[in-house]
Amino acid sequence: MGRVLKVVSLLVVGALAMVGVIGAAGLAGVTFPFQTERVDRNHPALLRSVQDISQFHAAVGSFEIVLDQEDDVRWVPGFIAGERSLFVAAGTVNAYVDLSGLADGDLTLSADGTSARIRLPAPQLDAPNLDHDRTYLVSQERGVINRLGDALSAQDQQELYQEAEQRMLAAAEESGLVQQAEENTREMLTGMFGALDIQLTVVEG
């Protein structure tokens, strides 16, 4: 028994000594085997093309959409089959005027150079730009059969994002964002020509 206790004591002392050495070495910045190390094999970003922008972004609307979608299976209780997802999406929609659409005759200057007339194309709405930090799945209730398919699939997530973008664009169309963009563009051009002592008349396209 005494011999066994002696062996155990030596093992304990050795283990404590090893912990002390590892701790001291860690503080000294020494690297030991079996530590996790991240290897960056990402490829650098490639510039594929450059395009000239001839758009005046005149207004930006911020929106938040809440999707509460439920797939109900008729005659089957929800805890067996069915799915309900609560999804929140936040983002912005830009309203812009495409100045590249100006044609000959859309901008005319009077003979004395004191007045001008411009015909602008109607403002348009950009595709929604979702803020991924504020867009997330709040909760999901799934029946037993649905849970057999594991967690929410990538296809399901894509459908939620697409639905959120469509509703956000529809909300932007009804919000008066286009009218605000037209007013802002008119004020911008009037001020710019006014700085040149030219009175500008803006005509809707």
Side-chain angles (χ1 to χ4, degrees):
M1 179 63 70
R3 184 174 301 176
V4 173
L5 292 176
K6 184 176 181 180
V7 172
V8 172
S9 300
L10 290 175
L11 290 175
V12 172
V13 172
L16 292 175
M18 181 62 69
V19 171
V21 171
I22 292 176
L27 293 176
V30 178
T31 302
F32 282 87
F34 311 114
Q35 290 186 340
T36 301
E37 181 180 357
R38 174 171 294 179
V39 179
D40 187 358
R41 294 192 176 92
N42 294 324
H43 297 281
L46 299 178
L47 178 63
R48 303 301 298 269
S49 64
V50 175
Q51 296 179 340
D52 293 331
I53 301 298
S54 55
Q55 300 173 352
F56 173 62
H57 288 252
V60 179
S62 297
F63 300 89
E64 183 172 284
I65 304 294
V66 178
L67 299 181
D68 189 351
Q69 295 184 343
E70 182 175 5
D71 296 328
D72 188 23
V73 180
R74 184 177 296 183
W75 311 117
V76 178
F79 69 89
I80 296 178
E83 183 175 325
R84 181 177 179 180
S85 300
L86 183 62
F87 185 78
V88 174
T92 58
V93 178
N94 294 331
Y96 67 92
V97 175
D98 189 0
L99 301 177
S100 65
L102 293 176
D104 294 340
D106 287 339
L107 177 60
T108 57
L109 186 65
S110 64
D112 58 3
T114 59
S115 63
R117 182 176 180 272
I118 186 172
R119 183 185 301 275
L120 288 177
Q124 304 177 50
L125 294 176
D126 245 336
N129 182 24
L130 294 182
D131 183 350
H132 293 280
D133 291 335
R134 299 167 54 207
T135 300
Y136 54 94
L137 182 68
V138 178
S139 64
Q140 182 187 37
E141 301 173 2
R142 313 187 77 193
V144 175
I145 296 177
N146 299 81
R147 287 199 296 269
L148 293 177
D150 204 356
L152 187 66
S153 67
Q155 180 65 28
D156 292 334
Q157 293 186 44
Q158 184 178 7
E159 291 177 357
L160 289 173
Y161 274 89
Q162 291 175 347
E163 177 69 19
E165 289 179 348
Q166 292 174 3
R167 295 199 180 191
M168 191 171 294
L169 185 59
E173 292 173 349
E174 299 175 358
S175 66
L177 188 62
V178 170
Q179 292 77 6
Q180 185 64 46
E182 182 179 344
E183 180 180 342
N184 292 347
T185 304
R186 186 189 302 269
E187 292 180 357
M188 182 273 295
L189 291 174
T190 301
M192 184 177 65
F193 277 80
L196 300 175
D197 294 328
I198 300 176
Q199 183 178 359
L200 181 66
T201 301
V202 180
V203 181
E204 296 181 6

